[in-house]
Amino acid sequence: MQKNHKVSYFINFLGILVVFGIFALLFEGKAFGTSTQYIKGICTTACYTIIMVASLNLVVGCMGEFSLGHAGFVSVGAYASAIVSHALAGRGLPDIVLFIVALLAGGLAAGFTGVLVGIPALRLRGDYLAIVTVAFAEIIRVCFCNFPITGGGKTMSGILKLSGFYWCFWIMVVCVAIMYMYVRSRYGRTVKAIREDYIAAAASGINVTYYKVLTFTVAAFFAGIGGGIYAHYMTAMIPTNFNFMYSAELLSEVIIGGTGSFTGSIIGAAFLSSLPEMMRQFSQYRMLAYSVILVLVMVFKPGGIFGQWEFSLCRVLDKLAGCRRLLRKTVKGGA
C-alpha cells in the first residue's frame, strides 16, 4: 500500500471516530428526549441496510450486472445466523463473541449459496441474469416457507436480541472498508475491465467467469452479514419479508445513490431506510414520496446522486488547504 493511501485511510478513520463520538454523545446524553431510543433504532436499521446496499453495489456498480435476487442472500444469512446463535446460546460465550460467530456463519452460508448460484448464472448477462436471480430468490423463499427449522412459513421468533447500534456501526464500517479495498484491489480492477469490455477482457486471457463468480460471492457474503444483523435486531422473521420487492428496494437504493459509489450507497441506504419512519405520520403518502424521489433522480441525475464519486476527508482537507493558500496570495497581492 502506498504511503499516501495509508495517510488517506488514517485521516478518514479519524473522521469516522468523530462521527461515532457525535452519535455516542447524542444518544448517551438523551439529546432527543423520549425519542432517543427510537432514533437509535432507525440508525441501527440504516447500518445493516448500508451493508446490504453496498454489497449489491459490488454486483451492479463494480461488475456491471443487475441482480434482482439479493434478498435471497440476505435471507440465507439471516436464517443461518439465527439458527447458529440459537444453537450456541447458553454456552457461556460473551454476547459480542456469539454475535460475531453468528454473523460469520450467516455470511459463509450466503457466500456458499452465492457460489452455487453464480457458477451457472454468471455465464448469462443482462436480462437473463436478472431473471435467474429473481428465480433463485423465490426458490429460497419457498424453501424457507417449508423447512421446519425456519418456522415452516410461520414467524421464526425467539431470536436473541444482539444487534445494538454501537456494535452494528463498527461492523458496518469494517464491512464497507473491506468492500472498498476489494474494489481498489487488482481483483476489483479486473472486474471493472470485464464490465467495460467483456469480449476484450476474455480475449486477453482473463478468466471472466472466475472473477465474476468471485465478486458475486463476496457480495453474497456481506449480504449475509447484513441479514444476520437484521435477524438479531428484529428478533422475528417470516420468509415473505425477503420477497422480490425487498430486492427491488435494495436495487433502487443503489441506483439512487450512484452505481459504483460506496458513498452513494451509504447516503442512499441511510436516507431511504429511514424515510418510512420519518413519514410514519403520513403513512398513506410514503410510497408516493418514494416514487417521486426515484423519478426525480432518474430525470435529473441518471447516474445516481453521486455517480461514481467517492467522498474522502483527505481530499476535502487538501481543497481547504488550497483555498487557504489562494486566499493568502490574494491578500498579499492586494496589500
Side-chain angles (χ1 to χ4, degrees):
M1 186 184 297
Q2 297 179 2
K3 185 177 179 180
N4 57 341
H5 286 168
K6 291 181 180 179
V7 173
S8 178
Y9 289 155
F10 179 73
I11 292 175
N12 283 294
F13 178 72
L14 291 179
I16 293 170
L17 281 177
V18 171
V19 172
F20 177 77
I22 292 172
F23 276 117
L25 287 174
L26 291 174
F27 292 148
E28 297 304 318
K30 305 294 183 182
F32 304 102
T34 56
S35 301
T36 299
Q37 200 63 30
Y38 174 70
I39 293 174
K40 186 187 288 188
I42 294 176
C43 293
T44 305
T45 300
C47 286
Y48 66 69
T49 306
I50 286 170
I51 298 174
M52 298 175 190
V53 174
S55 64
L56 180 57
N57 206 356
L58 285 178
V59 178
V60 179
C62 182
M63 198 163 66
E65 300 287 358
F66 276 95
S67 173
L68 289 173
H70 209 61
F73 299 119
V74 173
S75 65
V76 170
Y79 279 103
S81 64
I83 292 169
V84 169
S85 65
H86 178 75
L88 295 179
R91 300 199 177 188
L93 291 175
D95 285 349
I96 184 61
V97 175
L98 180 61
F99 190 37
I100 292 175
V101 170
L103 292 185
L104 289 176
L108 290 173
F112 179 71
T113 307
V115 174
L116 295 181
V117 175
I119 291 176
L122 290 174
R123 299 179 186 276
L124 305 172
R125 300 176 63 194
D127 298 340
Y128 302 103
L129 176 61
I131 293 170
V132 170
T133 54
V134 170
F136 150 73
E138 285 301 302
I139 290 171
I140 290 296
R141 187 182 63 80
V142 171
C143 289
F144 285 158
C145 285
N146 290 277
F147 290 159
I149 196 172
T150 58
K154 299 179 181 178
T155 302
M156 182 181 183
S157 57
I159 304 171
L160 298 176
K161 180 77 170 182
L162 299 175
S163 296
F165 171 73
Y166 301 122
W167 291 354
C168 293
F169 179 89
W170 288 110
I171 292 171
M172 179 266 293
V173 168
V174 171
C175 290
V176 173
I178 293 174
M179 285 186 275
Y180 178 75
M181 289 188 287
Y182 175 81
V183 171
R184 291 174 63 93
S185 69
R186 67 182 183 89
Y187 297 101
R189 292 194 297 270
T190 302
V191 173
K192 286 183 178 179
I194 296 171
R195 177 194 66 191
E196 296 300 323
D197 198 323
Y198 183 94
I199 296 175
S204 63
I206 294 176
N207 189 337
V208 173
T209 302
Y210 168 78
Y211 283 100
K212 291 179 70 174
V213 171
L214 175 63
T215 304
F216 197 72
T217 303
V218 172
F221 173 83
F222 285 108
I225 296 289
I229 298 175
Y230 169 88
H232 291 92
Y233 176 69
M234 301 301 292
T235 69
M237 298 181 296
I238 190 168
T240 52
N241 291 343
F242 307 100
N243 54 16
F244 171 76
M245 291 305 298
Y246 194 61
S247 294
E249 181 181 335
L250 295 176
L251 181 59
S252 64
E253 290 171 6
V254 171
I255 295 173
I256 288 174
T259 55
S261 170
F262 284 103
T263 303
S265 295
I266 293 170
I267 302 300
F271 174 70
L272 292 177
S273 63
S274 60
L275 181 63
E277 298 298 329
M278 291 188 294
M279 296 190 64
R280 183 171 290 276
Q281 294 180 346
F282 309 96
S283 57
Q284 64 269 34
Y285 301 112
R286 281 189 294 173
M287 294 309 296
L288 176 62
Y290 196 77
S291 303
V292 169
I293 292 171
L294 279 172
V295 171
L296 291 176
V297 171
M298 290 300 99
V299 170
F300 296 103
K301 292 283 290 184
I305 295 174
F306 290 92
Q308 295 188 352
W309 179 81
E310 297 287 4
F311 173 80
S312 173
L313 187 58
C314 191
R315 190 184 302 121
V316 172
L317 294 176
D318 286 341
K319 287 185 177 180
L320 289 176
C323 291
R324 222 176 262 175
R325 288 193 296 267
L326 180 60
L327 182 60
R328 285 175 184 173
K329 289 180 180 179
T330 305
V331 172
K332 288 181 181 179

